Amino acid sequence: MSAPAPAAPGGTLPAGPPEAVVAWVNEAGAGTLAGRMGVTFQEATAQRVVATMPVRGNTQLQRILHGGASAAFAESLGSLGAALHAGEGRIAVGVDLNATHHRPVRAGTVTGVATALHLGATTASYEIVVSDEAGRRVCTARITCAIHGGRGTRGARGRG
């Protein structure tokens, strides 16, 4: 196992092997919304991001997973993928998010998988599928991120 990548200034994602990036994101993200929601990243590349989130603490009054929690979870995954795609000196910001909620979840952990749909020079789009512990689809989301900064450079294009 590789040592975690060094912390980058200003929240910039570090370069390094995928497992080092995941370790850094989980540590650096502790004080973020994703951290407060209990999100743990398992895999993180520009092409695919995988994470888990507990249902407990992320419910609405009816004690089922809150739709806003699913949407924030999905945005966290897609935004991380877009940031990895953007590369050094550039940032990715969400400009569109939609989510369809398919079934309630009352307990356990959900898993989100963000898969790149488009990795361009100025935008990146992802489909995020959130599933329960039985593998049933709970939510399907799509996010588009605008990529800003570093004019004249193209980030890691996500190909390789």
Side-chain angles (χ1 to χ4, degrees), residues 27-48:
E27 183 177 332
T32 67
L33 176 60
R36 287 189 291 282
M37 292 174 63
V39 174
T40 301
F41 290 90
Q42 311 290 323
E43 179 182 334
T45 66
Q47 297 82 16
R48 179 179 148 101

Side-chain angles (χ1 to χ4, degrees), residues 54 64 112:
I64 60 175

